[in-house]
Amino acid sequence: MTTSSLLEAALTRDRLIVLVGLTGVTVLAWLYLVMLAAQMSDTMPTMSKMSGPETMLAMLKIRPWTAQDFILMLLMWVVMMIGMMLPSAVPMILLFAIVNRKSQQQGNPFVPTSAFALGYLLVWSGFSVVATVLQWALEQTALLSPMMVSTSPLLGGIILVAAGLFQWTPLKQACLTHCRSPIAFVMHGWRPGIGGAIRMGLEHGVYCLGCCWILMGLLFVGGVMSLVWIALITLFVLVEKAAPFGIVMGRVSGLLLVLAGLAVMLHAHG
């Protein structure tokens, strides 16, 4: 076989291995979320047996979190971010694997693609810490029910409006442009070695976080553990980053989110 044939075979094998690995991790994350959602749904029959003020008092009961509670909630957020955000990073990770293999053929040390993915997921793990603290604060002020849904129409409306307005900001557009241009990032931001791969993953993760952080706030509106809501946001992020009409869809969705938020707030005061 010629050198080019060997390189093409190696690239094909690398793409397959990376794709299978990313798919496996994503599937495991979603299975964990489904399991958690099923456990939460098991508590609903008990709550449904109660009626009137007792139900509201039970749902809004403030219980101090233990260290174990915080760790479990943090784990939930980390796994959720993996399940939601890893699919949209697949094009960038695959491109890294391809360029990395070609770099190795030129005599440079081989770097595991997992190093890049690790850097990316570290950013979203950091976000998960912030989200966990925010969830704790909302629960302690009775703005979030134990079922992880906002109890305040005003809060829900504000989050919707904020998410909609952010879709039109220069920061959003700059971060989205980066996420939609993996070739430009890899070509101009390449760094050698494992440390360089992790740093590249961190940089891409920061851009991704800048693009999508407020969208994660919508989880507090529709339900942090609502599988339908999680899936819709995941699909939206994927389409916005990958589809040809993603930028236009993002701006249109911004208008719709603002209108939805205003409608929620007006209805609450009506």
Side-chain angles (χ1 to χ4, degrees), residues 18-113:
V18 171
L19 190 57
V20 170
L22 294 176
T23 301
V25 171
T26 302
V27 169
L28 288 175
W30 274 92
L31 288 176
Y32 182 78
L33 295 177
V34 170
M35 180 189 71
L36 287 183
Q39 290 177 351
M40 289 185 62
S41 66
D42 289 341
T43 66
M44 291 302 294
T46 301
M47 298 300 299
S48 63
K49 294 178 181 179
M50 304 171 63
S51 60
E54 291 182 347
T55 301
M56 289 303 298
L57 287 174
M59 291 293 290
L60 298 176
K61 182 180 179 181
I62 299 175
R63 180 180 65 85
W65 281 19
T66 64
Q68 182 181 14
D69 291 332
F70 188 89
I71 292 173
L72 290 175
M73 286 299 175
L74 176 59
L75 176 62
M76 179 198 75
W77 275 101
V78 170
V79 174
M80 187 185 302
M81 291 303 101
I82 292 174
M84 295 180 71
M85 300 310 302
L86 195 56
S88 67
V90 167
M92 184 73 78
I93 297 175
L94 286 176
L95 181 60
F96 176 88
I98 293 172
V99 176
N100 184 46
R101 171 62 71 177
K102 291 182 178 180
S103 177
Q104 183 192 25
Q105 294 294 323
Q106 296 172 358
N108 296 311
F110 181 76
V111 177
T113 302

Side-chain angles (χ1 to χ4, degrees), residues 31-265:
L31 288 176
Y32 182 78
L33 295 177
V34 170
M35 180 189 71
L36 287 183
Q39 290 177 351
M40 289 185 62
S41 66
D42 289 341
T43 66
M44 291 302 294
T46 301
M47 298 300 299
S48 63
K49 294 178 181 179
M50 304 171 63
S51 60
E54 291 182 347
T55 301
M56 289 303 298
L57 287 174
M59 291 293 290
L60 298 176
K61 182 180 179 181
I62 299 175
R63 180 180 65 85
W65 281 19
T66 64
Q68 182 181 14
D69 291 332
F70 188 89
I71 292 173
L72 290 175
M73 286 299 175
L74 176 59
L75 176 62
M76 179 198 75
W77 275 101
V78 170
V79 174
M80 187 185 302
M81 291 303 101
I82 292 174
M84 295 180 71
M85 300 310 302
L86 195 56
S88 67
V90 167
M92 184 73 78
I93 297 175
L94 286 176
L95 181 60
F96 176 88
I98 293 172
V99 176
N100 184 46
R101 171 62 71 177
K102 291 182 178 180
S103 177
Q104 183 192 25
Q105 294 294 323
Q106 296 172 358
N108 296 311
F110 181 76
V111 177
T113 302
S114 58
F116 180 92
L118 173 62
Y120 177 79
L121 294 178
L122 281 175
V123 173
W124 284 104
S125 295
F127 170 82
S128 298
V129 174
V130 177
T132 303
V133 173
L134 179 59
Q135 180 181 338
W136 168 82
L138 291 174
E139 283 196 10
Q140 298 308 297
T141 53
L143 291 175
L144 195 71
S145 76
M147 302 307 295
M148 305 182 203
V149 180
S150 172
T151 61
S152 168
L154 178 60
L155 174 63
I158 290 174
I159 294 175
L160 287 167
V161 170
L165 292 177
F166 184 74
Q167 292 294 99
W168 286 80
T169 62
L171 175 60
K172 167 71 180 191
Q173 298 307 313
C175 292
L176 180 59
T177 298
H178 163 87
C179 293
R180 290 174 58 85
S181 307
I183 294 179
F185 172 69
V186 172
M187 292 296 101
H188 298 292
W190 185 264
R191 291 180 172 82
I194 294 179
I198 294 175
R199 182 175 175 181
M200 288 178 65
L202 288 169
E203 290 178 358
H204 177 55
V206 169
Y207 276 107
C208 188
L209 178 62
C211 178
C212 303
W213 67 274
I214 190 64
L215 294 176
M216 300 303 112
L218 296 175
L219 291 168
F220 292 112
V221 179
V224 174
M225 279 308 300
S226 168
L227 293 179
V228 173
W229 198 240
I230 295 173
L232 287 174
I233 296 176
T234 301
L235 180 61
F236 177 85
V237 169
L238 182 60
V239 172
E240 188 179 43
K241 289 184 178 181
F245 54 86
I247 294 179
V248 175
M249 184 197 71
R251 291 178 173 172
V252 171
S253 69
L255 292 176
L256 295 177
L257 286 169
V258 170
L259 292 176
L262 293 175
V264 169
M265 288 187 286

